[in-house]
């Protein structure tokens, strides 16, 4: 039966996370943005409150019950939206596996999940994970990755340079995409785990960015970096044809809706802020009122629509229904909708909107990257249209996957 | 959260889908040119219990909840939006009587539908399409005054209802003997649904439900609104599907045009519009069926989004077919006209937005 009621467990978590976002994150957002970093003491505190594994999805946790596993992706949507509502940049500083989580979860063997997730992210102390896929010349075209992994007996030797890696500089566990054979094109792409302090691994420059300034984005340099053979995600099976690249893509099916949920959190922050501002600053008799009302309604409608398609993608993932089309839809739809909400907020507030006295200008800067990282809006449209062209049943309401 | 329809809903959807594909789509031009739904199609939909859902105690095959009616609307409209608008719009009168009528009124009116009688609901006004809280038609001493647009079957309906505004939003029953001053609308699209402009000047009527009960009437009208969202989604799906097939068959510069991102991105964008519209409509239906407070806001939101999606998708549908899209050899031009008619008729996205905004202060 079609039912939009959230599970009680999810409602409870939504309320808990919202409180954390409102009381802890939001008040520190401006300072972190201005400083371009989060105070280590604050990171420690965030870690403590979040149990040092805020972004870990429940099914990755050894103590997760069956119910939690069934709600895992949905929970990730709810949590991510609320956290990003608090502050999108600061939450990337909350200790946890980050995007290494979905990758290891989607492509790793049970032993690898234990070794690289459960044994590392125990919750006892702050630990970070990161995913390094992008290279200067290879963004959406992941198959153009030049980083190589060469087998040498029981080891892999990695060489190459990765860019735009969130938390790359402080990661304990890094998932890296590399090719084992350039002549195989994307079939030669595999995911590898590199642990902190591995010789041959070095952090390059730290980027200065338009937004999300309080989140650290690093360049990763690999120079004859040797890792054990079993650090290839998926183990021996990953060497079979048609397994590696799909592993990377599969991880996107889990991470894209999460990124979309974060974008919705930012858009909702802007919407709610300007709605409350307008209630005071744009009185009912004001000539601007009809414009403001229409704008607000449109912003809300688009955010609601974005949330529904994002949650549908998560609902499918929780039921193990292939969701690559819906994951891409959420990622292609939500960030521009949230960006329009931020633009609308600045338009409504006028000169107050661009002032640093309010967070609206920050949200406008922060939101832009959500239409870029984890697959640009354009590459996600490629995924969506490929799912439809040739498979027209995809347009029917009950056909939920590829 | 759960997005899987019930087995019963799936069975109904399958049946309507088959019917839409085998009977309705092939007859779309015939119905449009005749200006009415063909007798054959109308009769079958009455027999299927879809045209006017009536409870078993009044001789029908049972009524549908809002969710099911939205699912039906999408499938039937995929076949032809004009046919869906005509048939389901007619049946709406039965739903409104069922939801807001007295027992006596139900016993008198509902059995008529099971015999194939048509219904008519006079709701839209020039300045009040989606927003029925600003209706100008009034009832004074059981007499109706006002000008209504888009009144379905005003010439042929056995059950005729009129909606009036004011503090006591009300629905009124026009006696069968009463002659109405009705002028048929010669319109852009949805031509298979014959509609009229009707001027009510002191028409003597009886209040549906006996005494004023605006809350009940509002609920019934919300269901009426949401039906249009379902029709818009079915229209959009039809247009997008047709254009997607064409994009794979038609080649240019040595490749199917669907291989060009100028085309494939349109397809992706419209698929997102439709998916989000469908989810908004489902959520609104769920809110009505569960009697939730924000049902009103959700319905307006869904209608606005669905209408906009239908218009944009039909536009892109014609565009993807290029010159062929402009020709009557293909149905895209039909959907292009239907979409705009549907949107202006009843749920213009603009009005949906403005109306919605009026609720935000109290709602949040």
């Amino acid at each position: 039966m079609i039912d939009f009621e959230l599970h009680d467990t999810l409602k409870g978590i939504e309320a808990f996370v919202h409180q954390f976002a409102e009381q802890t994150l939001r008040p520190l957002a401006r300072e972190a943005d201005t400083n371009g970093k989060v105070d280590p003491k604050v990171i420690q505190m965030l870690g403590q409150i979040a149990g040092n594994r805020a972004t870990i999805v429940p099914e990755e946790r050894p103590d997760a019950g069956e119910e939690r596993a069934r709600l895992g992706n949905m929970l990730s949507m709810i949590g991510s939206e609320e956290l990003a509502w608090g502050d999108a940049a600061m939450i990337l500083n909350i200790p946890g596996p980050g995007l290494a989580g979905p990758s290891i979860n989607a492509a790793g063997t049970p032993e690898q999940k234990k070794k690289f997730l459960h044994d590392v992210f125990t919750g006892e102390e702050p630990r970070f994970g990161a995913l390094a896929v992008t290279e200067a010349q290879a963004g959406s075209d992941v198959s153009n990755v030049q980083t190589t992994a060469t087998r040498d007996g029981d080891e892999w030797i990695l060489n190459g340079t990765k860019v735009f890696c969130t938390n790359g500089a402080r990661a304990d566990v890094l998932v890296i995409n590399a090719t084992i054979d350039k002549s195989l094109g994307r079939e030669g792409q595999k995911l590898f785990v590199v642990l902190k302090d591995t010789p041959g691994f070095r952090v390059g420059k730290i980027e200065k960015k338009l937004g999300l300034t309080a989140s650290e984005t690093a360049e990763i340099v690999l120079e004859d970096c040797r890792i054990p053979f079993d650090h290839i995600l998926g183990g021996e099976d990953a060497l079979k044809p048609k397994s590696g690249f799909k592993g990377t893509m599969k991880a996107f099916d889990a991470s894209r809706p999460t990124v979309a949920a974060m974008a919705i959190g930012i858009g909702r922050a802007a919407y709610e802020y300007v709605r409350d501002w307008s209630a005071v600053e744009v009185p009912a008799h004001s000539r601007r009122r009809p414009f403001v009302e229409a704008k607000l309604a449109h912003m809300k409608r688009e955010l609601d629509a974005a949330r529904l398609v994002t949650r549908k993608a998560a609902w499918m993932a929780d039921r193990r229904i292939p969701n690559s089309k819906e994951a891409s839809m959420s990622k292609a739809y939500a960030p521009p909708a949230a960006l329009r909400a931020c633009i609308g907020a600045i338009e409504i507030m006028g000169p107050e909107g661009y002032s640093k006295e309010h967070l609206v200008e920050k949200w406008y800067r922060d939101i832009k990257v959500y239409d870029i990282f984890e697959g640009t809006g354009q590459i996600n449209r490629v995924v969506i249209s490929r799912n439809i062209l040739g498979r027209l049943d995809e347009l029917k309401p009950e056909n939920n996957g590829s | 959260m759960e997005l899987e329809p019930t087995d019963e809903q799936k069975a109904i959807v399958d049946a309507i889908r088959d019917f839409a594909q085998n009977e309705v789509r092939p007859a779309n031009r015939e119905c449009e040119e005749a200006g009415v739904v063909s007798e054959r199609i109308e009769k079958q939909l009455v027999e299927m219990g879809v045209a006017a859902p009536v409870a078993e105690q009044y001789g029908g095959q049972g009524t549908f909840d809002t969710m099911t009616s939205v699912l039906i609307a999408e499938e039937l409209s995929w076949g032809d939006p004009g046919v869906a608008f005509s048939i389901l719009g007619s049946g709406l009168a039965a739903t409104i009587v069922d939801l807001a009528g007295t027992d006596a009124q139900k016993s008198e009116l509902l059995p008529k539908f099971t015999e194939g009688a048509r219904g008519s609901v006079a709701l839209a006004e020039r300045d009040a399409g989606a927003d029925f809280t600003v209706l100008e038609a009034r009832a004074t001493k059981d007499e109706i005054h006002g000008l209504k647009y888009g009144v379905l079957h005003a010439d042929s309906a056995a059950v005729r209802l009129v909606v009036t505004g004011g503090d006591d939003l009300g629905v009124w029953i026009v006696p069968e003997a009463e002659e109405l001053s009705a002028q048929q609308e010669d319109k852009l699209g949805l031509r298979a649904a014959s509609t009229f402009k009707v001027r009510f000047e002191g028409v003597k009527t009886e209040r549906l439900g006996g005494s004023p009960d605006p809350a009940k009437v509002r609920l019934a009208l919300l269901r009426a609104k949401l039906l249009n969202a379902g029709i818009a989604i079915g229209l959009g799906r039809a247009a997008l599907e047709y254009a997607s097939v064409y994009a794979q068959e038609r080649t240019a510069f040595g490749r199917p045009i669907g291989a060009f991102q100028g085309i494939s991105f349109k397809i992706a964008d419209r698929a997102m519009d439709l998916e989000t519209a469908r989810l908004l409509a489902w959520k609104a239906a769920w809110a009505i069926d569960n009697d939730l407070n924000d049902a009103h806001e959700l319905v307006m939101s869904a209608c606005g989004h669905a209408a906009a999606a239908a218009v944009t998708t039909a536009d892109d549908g014609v565009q993807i077919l290029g010159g062929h899209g402009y020709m009557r050899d293909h149905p895209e031009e039909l959907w292009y006209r239907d979409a705009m008619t549907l949107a202006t008729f009843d749920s213009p996205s603009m009005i949906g937005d403005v109306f919605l905004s009026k609720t935000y202060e109290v709602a949040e």
Side-chain angles (χ1 to χ4, degrees):
Chain A
M1 192 173 76
I2 298 167
D3 184 355
F4 289 86
E5 185 80 25
L6 281 184
H7 193 282
D8 282 345
T9 309
L10 296 173
K11 280 192 199 162
I13 288 169
E14 186 177 38
F16 171 79
V17 179
H18 183 76
Q19 193 182 23
F20 169 70
E22 188 169 35
Q23 296 175 357
T24 309
L25 297 176
R26 188 65 78 80
L28 296 167
R30 173 56 77 188
E31 188 192 332
D33 180 68
T34 306
N35 295 343
K37 63 180 180 206
V38 181
D39 190 310
K41 276 186 218 149
V42 174
I43 293 181
Q44 194 130 27
M45 177 193 70
L46 295 176
Q48 275 163 7
I49 296 174
N52 281 328
R53 51 189 175 191
T55 56
I56 201 162
V57 302
E59 65 179 319
E60 291 163 1
R61 291 164 54 160
D63 57 345
E66 196 181 318
E67 177 195 285
R68 281 294 193 97
R70 204 169 49 77
L71 296 171
N73 284 280
M74 190 64 81
L75 192 144
S76 182
M77 297 310 110
I78 309 276
S80 301
E81 179 178 335
E82 294 308 319
L83 288 169
W85 180 92
D87 186 68
M90 285 180 65
I91 61 171
L92 299 175
N93 289 277
I94 300 177
L99 290 173
S103 322
I104 296 173
N105 217 33
T109 63
E111 296 76 36
Q112 288 172 331
K113 287 180 200 175
K114 179 176 184 306
K115 187 173 170 190
F116 300 130
L117 288 176
H118 307 150
D119 292 354
V120 178
F121 300 94
T122 57
E124 278 153 29
E125 50 189 308
R127 300 265 198 203
F128 288 90
L131 176 66
V133 172
T134 302
E135 296 179 8
Q137 80 297 339
S140 291
D141 184 9
V142 172
S143 62
N144 193 28
V145 153
Q146 300 295 317
T147 298
T148 55
T150 314
R151 186 157 179 189
D152 182 24
D154 286 345
E155 291 182 325
W156 294 101
I157 307 170
L158 304 179
N159 277 292
T161 303
K162 297 287 181 181
V163 297
F164 309 156
C165 179
T166 300
N167 286 329
R170 55 161 81 127
D172 299 273
V173 175
L174 216 95
V175 175
I176 283 176
N177 193 43
T179 174
I180 56 168
D181 183 350
K182 279 185 187 168
S183 70
L184 293 177
R186 60 187 216 177
E187 297 296 341
Q189 300 283 318
K190 310 291 168 192
L191 293 170
F192 298 87
V193 174
V194 176
L195 299 177
K196 195 187 182 100
D197 297 330
T198 304
F201 164 91
R202 149 174 98 73
V203 176
K205 78 164 174 177
I206 303 294
E207 302 285 350
K208 291 197 190 325
K209 313 190 292 299
L210 168 69
L212 293 186
T213 60
S215 163
E216 198 177 76
T217 307
E219 182 187 45
I220 302 294
V221 183
L222 300 155
E223 290 159 330
D224 289 334
C225 177
R226 285 178 175 268
I227 55 170
F229 175 76
D230 63 4
H231 279 210
I232 182 169
L233 283 181
E236 288 274 3
D237 283 353
L239 296 176
K240 291 178 187 161
K242 302 191 175 191
S243 52
F245 188 74
K246 282 201 173 150
T248 310
M249 292 297 118
K250 225 166 115 188
F252 280 137
D253 294 345
S255 62
R256 282 176 173 162
T258 306
V259 172
M262 290 179 185
I264 295 163
I266 299 173
R268 198 186 100 208
Y271 162 74
E272 289 179 359
Y273 191 87
V274 72
R275 178 198 64 196
D276 296 347
W277 184 89
S278 304
V280 179
E281 303 292 335
V282 188
H285 55 77
S286 160
R287 283 178 63 198
R288 297 179 60 215
R289 186 72 176 193
F291 156 78
V292 170
E293 286 185 354
K295 197 100 197 161
L296 284 171
H298 200 84
M299 285 155 69
K300 181 163 194 299
R301 185 179 96 192
E302 291 197 327
L303 291 171
D304 285 347
R307 185 179 298 108
L308 284 171
V309 72
T310 302
R311 290 189 179 172
K312 179 176 179 182
W315 172 83
M316 291 168 73
D318 281 337
R319 273 153 194 75
R320 310 292 180 263
I321 302 169
N323 71 339
S324 106
K325 184 181 94 223
E326 286 71 14
S328 281
M329 279 189 169
S330 68
K331 181 63 180 63
Y333 190 87
L339 170 60
R340 288 191 290 271
C342 294
I343 292 172
I346 294 182
E347 282 176 359
I348 291 172
M349 293 174 72
E352 293 255 353
Y354 63 63
S355 163
K356 297 232 170 193
E357 278 178 38
H358 304 279
L359 284 168
V360 175
E361 63 80 29
K362 180 185 122 60
W363 291 323
Y364 172 68
R365 285 184 288 114
D366 287 348
I367 191 62
K368 184 58 221 168
V369 79
Y370 288 78
D371 201 22
I372 299 171
F373 61 18
E374 287 300 289
T376 59
Q378 288 65 42
I379 200 68
N380 279 295
R381 281 169 174 81
V382 170
V383 175
I384 297 163
S385 57
R386 277 189 190 153
N387 268 284
I388 291 168
L389 291 169
R391 281 183 280 188
L392 295 175
D393 276 351
E394 281 293 323
L395 293 171
K396 290 174 183 158
E398 73 276 19
N399 288 325
N400 291 319
S402 48
Chain B
M1 196 173 102
E2 183 55 63
L3 295 174
E4 182 95 19
T6 62
D7 288 344
E8 201 186 336
Q9 285 167 338
K10 286 183 196 168
I12 294 169
V13 163
D14 281 346
I16 307 287
R17 187 174 290 168
D18 280 350
F19 185 75
Q21 187 167 355
N22 299 325
E23 304 286 339
V24 181
R25 180 69 70 85
N28 58 357
R29 292 295 184 183
E30 175 199 335
C31 295
E32 163 166 74
E33 275 151 30
V36 286
V37 178
S38 79
E39 217 170 290
R40 186 180 74 252
I41 290 174
E42 186 170 11
K43 190 162 168 279
Q44 287 184 77
L45 285 167
V46 170
E47 282 165 9
M48 288 164 83
V50 170
V54 170
E56 282 158 23
Q57 66 181 111
Y58 301 110
Q61 300 175 45
T63 55
F64 301 119
D65 60 6
T66 316
M67 186 67 75
T68 309
S69 65
V70 168
L71 293 170
I72 290 172
E74 175 178 338
E75 296 305 328
L76 195 56
S77 174
W78 179 92
D80 184 66
V83 169
F85 191 83
S86 175
I87 298 289
L88 301 177
S90 166
L92 212 48
T95 303
I96 293 173
V97 169
D98 187 50
L99 290 171
T102 62
D103 286 343
Q105 288 166 336
K106 289 191 215 179
S107 304
E108 186 205 333
L109 302 176
L110 291 177
K112 294 183 184 181
F113 290 104
T114 66
E115 291 148 17
R118 289 178 182 157
S120 160
V121 184
L123 172 59
E125 296 174 8
R126 200 191 62 189
D127 299 334
D131 185 357
F132 46 74
T133 61
V134 298
L135 289 171
E136 284 177 359
R138 286 289 182 277
T140 31
K141 295 180 183 164
D142 296 352
E143 283 187 5
I144 304 287
H145 292 267
L147 178 61
K148 296 287 188 181
Y149 288 78
V151 183
L152 268 172
H153 314 309
D155 60 335
S156 61
V159 178
R160 295 177 294 180
L161 305 177
V162 190
V163 184
T164 57
D167 293 335
D168 63 335
L169 181 68
V171 178
W172 303 79
I173 306 163
V174 180
E176 244 180 299
E178 192 78 44
E179 278 284 333
L180 291 179
S181 148
Q183 181 193 340
Q184 187 154 17
E185 293 173 330
D186 185 4
K187 59 189 185 297
L188 170 71
L190 297 178
R191 294 178 65 90
S194 79
T195 57
F196 296 79
K197 186 162 99 177
V198 183
R199 188 174 292 283
F200 294 88
E201 284 172 318
V203 173
K204 195 86 179 155
T205 68
E206 169 194 338
R207 185 188 279 273
L208 185 71
S211 52
D213 190 349
K216 221 179 214 179
V217 169
R218 194 166 292 124
L219 180 77
L221 294 179
L222 281 183
R223 289 194 55 157
K225 291 282 143 207
L226 197 55
L227 210 53
N228 284 343
I231 292 173
I233 294 159
L235 185 162
R237 195 180 101 206
L240 183 59
E241 189 185 290
Y242 197 91
S244 301
V245 171
Y246 185 86
Q248 291 167 86
E249 292 169 351
R250 171 71 191 271
T251 58
F253 308 102
R255 301 159 76 187
I257 58 169
F260 295 103
Q261 292 176 347
I263 301 294
S264 68
F265 281 20
K266 277 188 198 300
I267 291 171
D269 281 328
R270 301 297 76 84
M272 285 192 276
D273 287 346
L274 290 173
E275 182 69 56
T276 47
R278 183 186 287 132
L279 288 166
L280 284 169
W282 284 10
K283 186 165 182 187
W286 167 78
I288 294 176
D289 286 336
N290 289 281
D291 210 11
L292 302 182
N293 287 334
D294 57 352
H296 203 158
E297 182 192 329
L298 286 165
V299 168
M300 300 321 297
S301 187
C303 286
H305 202 75
V311 170
T312 324
T313 307
D315 174 22
D316 279 350
V318 173
Q319 189 70 28
I320 288 170
L321 267 73
H324 297 285
Y326 207 71
M327 306 299 153
R328 289 173 61 96
D329 296 339
H330 295 277
E332 291 288 3
E333 66 82 27
L334 169 74
W335 292 320
Y336 177 86
R337 289 182 288 113
D338 284 350
M340 199 60 223
T341 310
L342 186 66
T344 39
F345 234 138
D346 205 78
S347 49
S349 51
M350 268 302 291
I351 290 178
D353 278 351
V354 174
F355 176 72
L356 181 58
S357 69
K358 287 181 188 158
T359 63
Y360 77 91
E361 284 161 298
V362 276
E364 312 245 353

